[in-house]
Amino acid sequence: MNLNFSGAVLSQAVASGIMLGGLFALMSIGLTLIWGVMKIINFAQGEFLMVALYLAYFLVARGHIDPYITIIITVPFMFFFGIGIFRATISPILKDPVMNQIMLTLGVSLILQNLALMLFSANVQSVNTRYSTWNIHLGSVVISGTQLIALVGSVLCTLGVWYFLKTTDSGRAIRASAQNPTAATLMGIDVPRTYLLAFGLGSATLGLAGSLMIPFYYTSPTVGVFLGLIMFIVVVLGGMGNLLGCFVGGLVIGLAETVGAAVFPGSLARVFTFSIFIIFLLFRPQGVLSKRQT
Amino acid sequence: MKHRTSIWAVALIAMLAMSVAAGVAACGSSSSSSGSSGSSSVKEIKIGTLYPVSGDLAKLGDQCISGVKMAVDEINAAGGIKSMGGAKLVLVEADSQGKPDVGISEITRLCQQDNVTAILGTYQSSVALPATQTAERFQTPMLITTAVADAITQKGYKYIFRICDLASWYARDQINFCKAMESMGGPAVKTVALLHEDTDFGQSTSAGQLKYAADAGIKVVANVAYAASSADLTTQVSKVKASNPDVVLTTTYLNDSILIAQEAKTLGMKQLFFDAAGGTVDPQFIKTLGDTAENWLTEIEFSTDANQTSIDLNTAYKALYGDNMTGNGMDGYQGVYVLAKALEDAATTDKAKLRDAMANVKLVAGVDRVVIPTKEITFTADGEITDAPLYVVQIQKGVFQTLFPLPAPGKLIVP
């Protein structure tokens, strides 16, 4: 074990952890939203992010579009992509047992992964943008500008989705459908349409994540496997379906990853992350922010 | 009860299906070489090859076999094995599919059905380990052209030889280069930091780096391991930065090498980074990073421009196959020449005598065909090549410049 770390390393780890946490939160909003509204665990969410990353990659690398301008393409694309997947696969089995839905989304994830493997090969792809050298120095701590933008994007996205659900008619319809689909139907809400909207929204947030991540991250057909796992931990940690909890969960896992890496060598850092997860499951299974449901 | 019975039935059917599939695969591969058995007089010498020419690793197996074929054609065109009346080399190709079990059955087939005199292989260490065991059992000389696990030649086998580099030599040559760096206009390397991914590849390489650095009197000021799938390596890179080494030695896969290069730049590190032929040798490394990849050092088994021999060899290879030669192709090519020299010395296809000739074979650069950057090729008592230095290259203006072993065409750039 190599435990020599200094204050500088630790403060860098904390700064990186907050950045990473923001990113994790951004990735996970869609998953928590989809679960919160229709109680479907979308195992293909990691692969949706992979699709968004590939789209952003091709727009930047081949289309020579500024990564932050690709948002106006990736977000609507992922919205309709999500709607398409929902219409074709999930909507027919909405009333089926949970196990069937899990199998189905798992199947979708495998199809997307292998489709990407066939179309784009197993090669890792990433882009080099003019933002990649943009850094902010705070004493000995260096913050990557692109990661800071992702953090800001994450905060705005969380607030935006929250505001949308709180104040707009469509948002209220989504919340009503989530609380009690039958009552919502009786009140004249088109529940299937609302589900469609929520699923599309959950997918669209990944479009934003893809565009904000591509300047400093990579894409490959299996990138969604690891990121998907992180999403699940973040969502469970934050309380499934809880938007603000999702943000806190992201920060906790981000910090656990980087501070863990500062203290423990190699893959042992992961043990730290997952230990925190297990501790939360044991003592606060309802998540960091949620109240215990009875 | 009924439930349990049906599960067993399904399991049984699945097992049957798998065994049928395996049988079909075995038939398919054995039919590919029919027709090459023939006369017992020494008009032709059958050489078996075992490389993964289908499956995930097909591209890499192809590189190996391309080098082998090129050398076989050259030798046959030049009059074959002269001590045996100009006997021609004939290849009997087998496909390991990248699977150890297939490797074993294919070696068995090559030895029993095709009666090959010797075998070349295998690309993967995981196939080489059981394959060499099988070849030893059939007392058939087997020359490993590519497969780096140290253990392959450390089992006391008599019939197994290897001409490629050992895994630990990547670390050895990194340290050798660090020692020579001052004479090349670089820093006097007194301290190094190790940054490596923590699977077998990174662990064994870093163990080698620790050992060779200690032997060379170079102090290791940090030894940082990480999981290659990490989404962020800033913390690990900042640990390395805090130790303030003269050079950073890395052992990487692709994603992590890209992250390290980006984060080292973000953190403003000025040190040279020297990778042990990991992610940095993938063309994607330079393509993705652009300027950020500049000045990174790495190791390669074959340099296309190190000297006139390499340039000529690569030109001939490219004319045949359209691609640049790789280390895999070069080792396959060199392997055939080593085997041909041993056959020439043995003057017989008797496998025991060929084995003795292999053990005592000696190819001298300038006299025999030697394309590895070494003066002569001989084997140790273990069957390992005595010395096969790696090339050290630096990324300069987006291409590899060969710096080492000296003399080399490139000049070290220190940022």
Side-chain angles (χ1 to χ4, degrees), chain B residues 2 5 14 25 53 64 88 170 251 261 304 324 359 366 379 382 384 410:
Chain B
K2 192 163 175 251
T5 325
V53 289
C64 300
K88 299 276 189 280
Y170 290 80
T251 312
T304 54
N324 277 326
F379 290 110
D382 289 337
E384 187 62 52

Side-chain angles (χ1 to χ4, degrees), chain B residues 66-90:
Chain B
S66 297
V68 168
K69 281 180 180 161
M70 183 177 164
V72 165
D73 290 346
E74 284 179 12
I75 289 167
N76 286 342
I81 304 300
K82 295 182 184 71
S83 67
M84 285 188 259
K88 299 276 189 280
L89 301 179
V90 176

